[in-house]
Each structure stands twice: as C-alpha cells, then as structure tokens.
Amino acid sequence: MKKLMAVMAILLVACMASAADKPKITIYTSMYEDVIEAMTKTLHEKFPDYDVEFFYGGTGTLQAKIAAERDTKKLGCDMLMVADPSYALELKDAGLLHAYKSKEADNLALEYDPEGYWYPVRNLNMILAYNPEQFKKEELPQSFKDFAYNPAMKNVISMPNPLTAGTALVAISALKDKYGYEYFDKLAENKVMVESGSVALTKLETGECKIIMILEESVLKKREEEDSELEVIYPTDGTISVPSPIMTIKDEWSAHSNAKICEELTDWFLSPEGQQYIVKGWMHSVLKNPPAIPYDSIATDQIVKNSMPVSWENCLRDRTELRTNFEERVKNKQ
C-alpha cells in the first residue's frame, strides 16, 4: 500500500509538473459559457502542448476589469474575444495589441484591421423576438423604431442593458445615430424593462412581455435546446450586426507573454474548423463561405445586407455619453 501511494504521489507530481511546464494562454471572452466549455475541450485536443483557459464576463464587466489591470501595467489575459468592435479600436490606439497577419484573413467576409491588430471572429445580431403562442406577429412592431415609438407597447417591452452588455451598447449607438436621443426618451415613455436576456425570454414565454430586443443567438439557443416556440423578427429598419473581434495582447502587457501561440489560436478560430464552433454556438460565421448557418437562422449575407449602419468610431467616441444618456433618460425613469 505504501509503495502504491508513493507511486501515485510521484505520478501526481509528474502530472502537475507537466501542466506547469505547458505555456499558458488566458482568453477573456463574453461568449456563452456552454460554448466556451465545448471550445475548451476542443482546444485541449487540438493544442495539447498548451494550457488554454477562458475567463467569462460581459463586455462591460471585462472592460472594467481591464481598465483596473491597466493601472498595474499588466493584464490578466493574453487574448480577448469581446462583443464590442469599438473596444478593439480603443486598445489598438492605447498600444496594447499585438499585430499579426493571419493566414485566414483573405477568407473573411467582414472588415478587419489591415495591420492585423484585430479580426472579426463571430457575427452577433440584435433582433426583436416574440411568442406566437401569446401574440400575433402582425400586431407587433416590425422595426426597432416602432418598438420604441408605438404607444401600444407601453409596459410590455424589454431590452438588454448597455451599461454592461457590449452588444446593447452597439445597438443604442446605432439607434441614436439613426433616430437621435429622442429614441431613448421614447423607450422611457414606453416603460421599457432593462434586464438580462434570460429574464426577458421568461417574460416573453409568460406573456408579461409582448416583444423584446435581444441577441438572435439567445432565441436560437432556446429553440434548439428547449424546443421553444419563440420566434425572431428581423427588423425592417435593419438588424444591428456586431462583428465581434478577436485580439492578442502585446507580450509586455499580457499575462503570459506568449503572442506566438496566440497567433496559432487566432488562425484556428478563423479557420473553417474553428468557425464551426461559432455556428454551433448559434452565432454567424465571419467567413466568405461559411461552414453552415446557425440553427433556425437565415443566411448570414441576407442579414448583413439588411443591417443598420454602425459607426464604430462614434461608438468609441460617444461610449460614456451614450451610457450616461441611457442611464438618465431610460433607466432612472423605470
């Protein structure tokens, strides 16, 4: 028994030493945790010589975390996969990103940084959703404008919080550019509920909400996993598409200074194989010839063709102003 325990102890120490010897990569991301779990397993199989781990948080939460870490001159991550593309512009301007010309760049259907500081890795879409078991589609708003301006929607609409969610911040930036800050006032007049997607989806199922603003992936996930009847409405004034970026932190700022390994991982995430996991996570691929479309969705190019313009420069420049106005004009009047 003592010999067996000694052997087990030696093996345990050897395993720990082996894990400790592996170069480590930490990725901050706002992706669904079950998608992260599937990707973690695959990355461990594809890259057995590296220790790749994810840290999950909403884009706003991760931005706050990184802001605090910047004061220490060292971040807790090596790569970022957040929702708001304008954040990539901020980090590039701050000199925190590592440039890399990915071998997969020519296959991308969406814009990327020409110097290789960031690439789109998943295409998220802000849409409207309703419950056909509770309400008729033709009686509901078919556009983002009607969602806020139609007085019949008072007390029965919901949306995500742009103070914490990157995609929601992009959405209100695009809507402000199109309709002005009056859009915020109309949301307040209609008593919009500002809450998490899971809460909003529950209210849609019970009939407490007639229609909600939410990410397409949240509805598709529920349809596939729970056989839900909830349906997507692609707004007539344009779906708000968010080509979320993947970025590598410069070695001098990153947690483990393994930029070359991050380059390998970037290529994998942008490859047809890596993009399959994006699609399985109910998000759209960023490739010219996508491996598939998400469950129960429509073609990616069809969505992009009817998307509302988004100025990433405005989103970055006006971020604080947008959040302040939303808090004062909408949240404080709930």
Side-chain angles (χ1 to χ4, degrees), residues 57-296:
T59 296
T61 301
L62 292 177
Q63 287 174 344
K65 180 175 175 60
I66 289 171
E69 290 173 350
R70 283 173 67 174
D71 291 338
T72 70
K73 306 298 182 184
K74 200 76 171 174
L75 304 189
C77 64
D78 304 283
M79 300 180 75
L80 282 168
M81 295 170 65
V82 294
D84 178 5
S86 71
Y87 192 48
L89 304 184
E90 177 184 333
L91 295 184
K92 177 185 174 181
D93 289 345
L96 299 183
L97 299 184
H98 169 78
Y100 168 60
K101 299 292 184 70
S102 173
K103 65 181 183 182
E104 302 292 341
D106 289 344
N107 299 324
L108 297 175
L110 303 174
E111 181 184 359
Y112 58 89
D113 183 75
E115 297 173 277
Y117 284 101
W118 54 265
Y119 296 94
V121 72
R122 54 192 173 129
N123 195 15
L124 312 179
N125 296 286
M126 192 68 74
I127 47 84
L128 300 173
Y130 78 107
N131 185 350
E133 295 183 318
Q134 295 277 356
F135 305 102
K136 295 179 180 178
K137 182 178 180 180
E138 57 268 24
E139 296 172 350
L140 299 171
Q142 303 299 302
S143 68
F144 282 121
K145 183 175 184 181
D146 203 26
F147 176 81
Y149 281 69
N150 186 342
M153 296 298 108
K154 188 172 184 177
N155 293 315
V156 291
I157 59 174
S158 171
M159 68 174 290
N161 188 356
L163 304 182
T164 56
T167 48
L169 180 66
V170 170
I172 66 166
S173 178
L175 291 163
K176 187 272 293 182
D177 285 350
K178 189 171 182 67
Y179 299 116
Y181 277 120
E182 181 185 71
Y183 191 87
F184 291 24
D185 298 330
K186 292 298 182 181
L187 286 172
E189 286 177 23
N190 264 351
K191 300 293 182 184
V192 66
M193 293 170 252
V194 182
E195 54 204 355
S196 70
S198 59
V199 172
L201 289 168
T202 298
K203 290 182 178 180
L204 207 57
E205 289 177 318
T206 62
E208 187 176 346
C209 280
K210 287 186 176 181
I211 189 166
I212 63 175
M213 182 191 301
I214 195 167
L215 284 176
E216 178 196 37
E217 63 194 85
S218 300
V219 182
L220 302 184
K221 181 177 189 290
K222 202 164 186 67
R223 286 179 65 83
E224 181 171 17
E225 291 191 338
E226 302 177 29
D227 201 25
S228 170
E229 294 297 322
L230 300 184
E231 290 188 8
V232 170
I233 294 175
Y234 297 97
T236 55
D237 49 356
T239 296
I240 300 173
S241 291
V242 188
S244 302
I246 184 170
M247 304 163 264
T248 294
I249 305 300
K250 272 185 177 178
D251 274 349
E252 56 264 40
W253 278 91
S254 70
H256 304 104
S257 304
N258 288 318
K260 287 299 178 185
I261 297 174
C262 296
E263 293 176 1
E264 289 184 55
L265 295 175
T266 296
D267 285 342
W268 182 83
F269 276 112
L270 300 181
S271 72
E273 181 183 12
Q275 287 292 295
Q276 286 180 3
Y277 288 88
I278 296 295
V279 174
K280 285 178 184 176
W282 308 280
M283 299 169 283
H284 287 259
S285 170
V286 297
L287 299 181
K288 291 175 182 175
N289 296 304
I293 61 171
Y295 176 85
D296 259 7

